[in-house]
Amino acid sequence: MIRLTLPDGSVREIEAAQSAAEIVKGIGMGLYKAACCVKINGEVKDLRTVIDSDCQFEVCTFDSIDGKKTFWHTASHILAQAVKRLYPAAKLAIGPAIDNGFYYDFDLEKPFTPEELEKIEAEMKNIVKDGIELEKFELSPAEAIAKLKEMDEPYKVELCEEHADKGEPISFYKQGEFIDLCAGPHLMTTAPVKAFKLISCTGAYWRGSEKNKMLSRVYATAYPKAADLEADLKQREEAKLRDHNKLGRELEYFTTVDVIGQGLPVLLPKGARVVQLLQRWVEDVEQKHGYLLTKTPLFAKREFFKISGHWDHYLDGMFIMGDPYDEEKECFALRPMTCPFQYQVFLNRQRSYRDLPMRLGETSTLFRKEDSGEMHGLIRVRQFTISEGHLVLRPEQLEEEFRGCLELAKYMLGTVGLLEDCTFRFSQWDPANPKNKYEGTKEQWDHAQDVMGKILDHLGLEYTIGIDEAAFYGPKLDIQYKNVYGKEDTLVTIQIDMLLAQRFGMEYVDVDGTKKTPYIIHRTSLGCYERTLAYMIEKYAGAMPLWLAPEQVRIVPVADRHLDFCNELMSKLEAAGIRATIDDRAEKVGKKVRDARLEKLPVWVTVGDKEVESNTVSVSSRREGDLGSMTPGEFIAKLIEDIANKVR
């Protein structure tokens, strides 16, 4: 019996063994035309897949994530076919679906110009108009490699050779004269890809490594309807206005310098002030939640990271000082994580069950050797600072402490205004790849994931599952956030670790006098400060909430004769801990106010003859508009209240 779930959530039972396409077509042509792919027992497949046994069968349209990915993946093949028609010498690399569309990498003599992209779009329209069928076929690894060599596609050969040792058939998709190495799934024909746009052409290193050749990457998106494409393009234009990489530089929150290096941003005074305010706030809140502050070294010897397992599992992502393979000489590495350092606090002396849970927190600077192709403003960097923390605890304390970590993270993300746009991912190991990435046995991982799954379900948290997204030592809950372009990154993690305590010999004396190995929770409360700053710039379009604004109040005198009053007001504001400046430039009041607006200040006040005579200030708020006249005392009291309440 086939249990079929339709896009509206309704369920049908079907007995006939036939292709998914025939089943969907039998329900109705409307659904058949809208269907992008199907999920059979949780695995995404083509509509052409034959269903011949009992299974869970779900129809995915463009409204679903899997449907979008299938649609966009097919569109990437249409793009590649158009390029090969117009530029036969172009070599194909990869063309995946991404969060907001797709891209395809090509090896060319020079990147495509805007005019050339228009020609490619025109050829793509011809391919769509022809409604070319996509046909899947398979070859043995040896046959696949031979075919790709015959096609003179070296990048595809490299990809194919990596999978050849598995001995499994290699799949291809053919549409007309075009053939591409691909696992699929794909649409049945090119016809549904009605509306598309080639967004840009940029450089991208093959496989993201600067050691490899620079390729030309064409970014694009596609939709079944023109209206949906128009809405997407409009949203992209709006996103450009909020892009922290552009806006953050214009408002002077940060800069980058070529001779310093990629992924090493310089926080300018505004950005540094916001990060300082966030760090102080996080440390104060964590202290109230029982966290003990630590400060540990930024680097350590090779042998230290061998104990932790980072040397075996994370060496390529670490900055090494010395020869990592010369055991005769001392070798150090900058730390990519804080965990093994904070464990030394626990290990400083014998611990008992009375010491647990031990909550350790640190404002920690970390270093990770990200590929140059992954760098992006403040979101993806090589040096960053994080609200790091580790909880050492007894097994029976695990759920309560995990709940506390989650509630703390949600409180902090909610306070800065990011929580409402976050999603949650239960990141698990991949049983098919245990030796290359993960510590521990299958039994240990099954136990850890079972415990974490029960905790998440008991907490009533809605989450997705990410296979092969776990840390090498344990499963984790990732709190995910998307930038203005739809690219998703992890903002906060909470990880359960049942392995590393053993590697470091961490033990506590239990109630019965026996020595036990503790559990560990790795967690962040606000995550990476640089990334948080980037997302806040985008969320607020550079207009920081009052409590975090680098400059909270600007005082605008109408004339020089009002400066004495302004200086007195400035002194009162400073005494109250409020960050303020006086705009004493020889400019008209209108220009000064416009500049305050353009710099996205939260509050500005004007002072003229009327205000001096009545001992008041004329107050304007970016959030509340014109607030009229207030005495200095009333004005400062309102500011203090809004700051204390962290009004956004």
Side-chain angles (χ1 to χ4, degrees), residues 40 46 382 412 423:
I40 304 173
D46 292 317
R382 286 172 168 159
M412 289 186 170
T423 57

Side-chain angles (χ1 to χ4, degrees), residues 352-370:
S352 82
Y353 68 94
R354 294 186 180 88
D355 295 314
L356 307 182
M358 176 181 285
R359 306 184 188 101
L360 304 173
E362 180 166 340
T363 301
S364 178
T365 298
L366 303 177
F367 308 85
R368 296 185 185 174
K369 195 176 180 181
E370 301 278 6

